[in-house]
Amino acid sequence: PRVGAGTGRANGRASMSNDAAQGSPLDPPPFTAETLLLLVTGSISAALVPYWLNWLRQMYPALVTHVTVTRSAERFVTVEALRHLVIGEVYRDDWDDANLPKSGHMALEEMAECFGVFPATVHTAMRLANGHCDSPTLYALQTTTKPIAIAPTFPGTNEVIESRMEALRTRPNVVVTGTVPAFSVSKQ
């Protein structure tokens, strides 16, 4: 699933589609949004975010990417490093971040046409699925009707996690990406 792939805009907003991208495997998928807000959460996969932000900037040079970073993500990537990689703002996902606009969650929701959560930890996904609004970005994600793409990086799953993820999938503006087998750093 790709935000904005193939279908253009719906009601002036970025749209989501499960259509396969056409063209060369090296061509980036179609992406119609002009602004993206990416929530980076605390998984070791957060260390890959600089690579993907660089890729976004090369593939979609006009895309303005704003980033919010959870405290736990800062174990794997720094806010300062991310500020050098985006055309947009970078904030800590914390109500006490002095750089956060005064209207907090409302400003975050208004500054983007679509949202991404990568890497989406179990903790963050469950907070989102259960309606928590305890950080500026989660509050924005809970109240928006704009597209949200969630890329889980779960070390495992169970019936409770799956049922909450299914609840997230019922939201018409949410798409949850598939997962791929990965090396587990906890099983070394």
Side-chain angles (χ1 to χ4, degrees):
R2 295 178 177 91
V3 175
T7 59
R9 296 176 187 264
N11 299 326
R13 296 189 175 173
S15 59
M16 291 189 283
S17 170
N18 289 330
D19 297 341
Q22 300 296 317
S24 163
L26 300 178
D27 291 339
F31 190 83
T32 61
E34 295 174 7
T35 56
L36 164 71
L37 188 141
L38 178 66
L39 171 60
V40 180
T41 72
S43 161
I44 195 161
S45 294
L48 301 174
V49 168
Y51 170 84
W52 289 113
L53 289 174
N54 187 51
W55 182 87
L56 277 172
R57 206 163 162 187
Q58 289 180 19
M59 297 297 113
Y60 308 100
L63 178 66
V64 175
T65 304
H66 304 289
V67 180
T68 56
V69 182
T70 66
R71 184 172 295 135
S72 59
E74 288 188 73
R75 294 178 300 162
F76 307 105
V77 67
T78 68
V79 169
E80 188 60 31
L82 297 178
R83 285 190 174 126
H84 293 286
L85 297 173
V86 297
I87 300 171
E89 301 296 328
V90 179
Y91 305 106
R92 286 183 175 83
D93 191 31
D94 188 317
W95 295 109
D96 294 327
D97 182 352
N99 296 314
L100 195 66
K102 290 189 191 292
S103 56
H105 68 283
M106 293 170 34
L108 294 177
E109 196 280 336
E110 291 169 359
M111 70 174 43
E113 289 179 68
C114 59
F115 299 86
V117 182
F118 173 78
T121 60
V122 172
H123 179 71
T124 298
M126 295 301 99
R127 287 169 52 219
L128 186 56
N130 289 313
H132 290 245
C133 299
D134 55 353
S135 76
T137 308
L138 273 186
Y139 203 142
L141 294 174
Q142 296 295 9
T143 58
T144 193
T145 57
K146 297 173 184 175
I148 302 169
I150 300 170
T153 56
F154 300 173
T157 190
N158 62 38
E159 296 80 17
V160 173
I161 293 171
E162 289 304 316
S163 70
R164 299 314 306 144
M165 292 306 293
E166 194 53 42
L168 269 179
R169 288 181 185 98
T170 65
R171 287 181 58 177
N173 64 324
V174 171
V175 64
V176 179
T177 66
T179 58
V180 296
F183 175 75
S184 173
V185 296
S186 65
K187 297 180 180 179
Q188 293 186 25

